[in-house]
Amino acid sequence: IAQQAGLDNGFFGNKTITLGGNIDMTGYEWTTPRVWSNLEYLTTFDGKGHTISGLTAPLFKEFRGTIKNLVIDGANIESEAGPLGAVVCNLAGNIENVTVMNSTLSGVISSRATADTKRWGAIVGLHSVGDAKNLLAENVTISGVTKVAGALIGTINETNNRIYTNCKAVNCQVEAGDNVVGAIVGQIYVSGVYFVSCSQEGTTPTALVGDGVVVEGAVSAEGLQDVFTNGGTITALEDITLTEPMVIAEDAEVVLDLGGKSLASNGNLVNNGTLTLKNGTVTAENDPDNANAIVSNGGELTIENVEIKSNCTSTGAAIRVNGGTATINGANTDVEAQKRRQIEMIKVIAL
């Protein structure tokens, strides 16, 4: 198959590979190809929704480009090396609409192996460039890796500002010797990684990310723009600084879970739609006369378990509601009593 598709030479760019039907690899030996190319000649692999079953080796060793519309079923891969993923071991590109189900990745990796060989995921071992959406790992077991493992992706590294949308793990079991494991990804080495509408069900571990320690620095607002425009649930893995005004669209329903992190807004978070903000700290410590942490111009605003820090004066407001409704549950503030009343009054007047 690799020879017929021209994949056995290692370099294959500016082409689209289309899967014409389901393939049962049971009993066949698959030599994992390397599909690498120059950046201007990226490859696309389109599975067209078909299923490859019975794999005993990863579909791709390395891939630069886009992989989409594919199901891997019943893979049973044993390995002493890595990074390892049933679909691709090392991906520099986007991946979407891909499922790995009813599969096992197992083996023993030497403790002398380099760090990058210890990253395992059911779908991708090491994801260095690009975004991902609509990924599913279901009934997958990963065991034997000595460092890092995720039910979907082992490690995210190399480039910042990445978005993972609608990624889910269902009934998966993930183990790693260093216990750096996650229901979506084992470890993140870059900043500005966002998970939009990602979740797990019946998966061990329950945490989406095994090690959320990422590179320090302000998060680019670009990673939030798509969610604020179209809606969705987003979980912050690091402190967020909005360096420019970000507007939640009128028809968008957004849940921003800070996950214990902080959001520095300085009046740049404007809600015109439906916003639920929870589980973290929001700060606005810029102009004391106009130090709005959040401005809500309509729609619905809900704040849950958020500490609000503002240096606003009597002419400013930590939360300014210009219309619509606002509900504040379990919010605390470090401003003085006079300023705290601004928040309390909003709760009374707006409802």
Side-chain angles (χ1 to χ4, degrees):
I1 297 174
Q3 291 176 346
Q4 292 178 0
L7 300 178
D8 57 331
N9 58 14
F11 291 89
F12 187 86
N14 200 27
K15 301 291 184 181
T16 297
I17 309 162
T18 301
L19 197 61
N22 298 332
I23 298 177
D24 186 354
M25 294 294 294
T26 303
Y28 291 91
E29 183 177 347
W30 173 251
T31 301
T32 303
R34 177 176 182 259
V35 182
W36 214 244
S37 61
N38 296 327
L39 288 175
E40 64 269 30
Y41 299 111
L42 299 180
T43 300
T44 297
F45 181 88
D46 188 351
K48 291 293 183 180
H50 296 302
T51 298
I52 298 177
S53 58
L55 277 172
T56 56
L59 184 62
F60 297 109
K61 180 178 181 180
E62 296 175 322
F63 196 97
R64 177 173 282 174
T66 298
I67 299 174
K68 60 183 181 180
N69 307 325
L70 178 67
V71 177
I72 300 293
D73 188 8
N76 187 0
I77 301 172
E78 296 183 4
S79 179
E80 295 182 356
L84 184 69
V87 177
V88 56
C89 297
N90 189 347
L91 174 64
N94 298 325
I95 184 166
E96 59 186 68
N97 304 324
V98 172
T99 295
V100 173
M101 58 192 302
N102 307 319
S103 298
T104 299
L105 280 68
S106 61
V108 177
I109 296 181
S110 169
S111 60
R112 296 187 299 273
T114 62
D116 281 348
T117 68
K118 304 173 185 178
R119 321 294 182 185
W120 287 24
I123 297 177
V124 180
L126 194 65
H127 194 193
S128 59
V129 178
D131 300 328
K133 68 178 179 180
N134 301 332
L135 303 186
L136 172 64
E138 185 171 4
N139 298 325
V140 172
T141 299
I142 300 176
S143 62
V145 60
T146 60
K147 182 67 177 178
V148 176
L152 275 69
I153 299 167
T155 296
I156 298 171
N157 73 339
E158 198 166 317
T159 56
N160 299 333
N161 301 323
R162 316 266 287 279
I163 300 178
Y164 292 77
T165 305
N166 194 31
C167 298
K168 188 172 184 179
V170 178
N171 297 332
C172 296
Q173 302 295 315
V174 184
E175 299 177 359
D178 284 4
N179 203 34
V180 182
V181 292
I184 300 296
V185 59
Q187 193 168 47
I188 297 173
Y189 275 129
V190 294
S191 62
V193 176
Y194 300 97
F195 292 95
V196 182
S197 301
C198 295
S199 62
Q200 65 83 20
E201 179 182 325
T203 293
T204 302
T206 59
L208 298 188
V209 178
D211 187 348
V213 177
V214 294
V215 177
E216 294 181 357
V219 176
S220 170
E222 295 175 358
L224 295 170
Q225 185 60 67
D226 182 66
V227 183
F228 283 4
T229 300
N230 300 308
T233 299
I234 192 165
T235 302
L237 296 180
E238 62 179 354
D239 296 338
I240 299 173
T241 298
L242 298 184
T243 57
E244 59 185 70
M246 299 294 293
V247 179
I248 296 175
E250 193 171 323
D251 296 330
E253 296 184 7
V254 175
V255 177
L256 177 54
D257 188 344
L258 294 175
K261 305 300 181 181
S262 67
L263 169 67
S265 171
N266 296 331
N268 287 327
L269 180 56
V270 179
N271 176 45
N272 292 333
T274 300
L275 170 63
T276 298
L277 182 66
K278 59 184 181 179
N279 303 328
T281 302
V282 176
T283 63
E285 299 177 354
N286 193 2
D287 177 5
D289 293 329
N290 191 30
N292 308 127
I294 302 170
V295 177
S296 191
N297 291 324
E300 300 178 12
L301 171 65
T302 301
I303 298 177
E304 301 176 356
N305 301 317
V306 172
E307 181 180 6
I308 301 168
K309 297 182 177 181
S310 174
N311 65 342
C312 62
T313 65
S314 59
T315 60
I319 304 172
R320 184 177 296 278
V321 178
N322 297 325
T325 63
T327 303
I328 302 177
N329 299 317
N332 297 307
T333 176
D334 66 349
V335 296
E336 298 173 2
Q338 178 184 4
K339 302 168 188 176
R340 183 181 295 117
R341 284 200 296 272
Q342 298 171 64
I343 298 177
E344 293 171 348
M345 288 173 63
I346 289 172
K347 183 176 181 181
V348 173
I349 294 173
L351 293 179

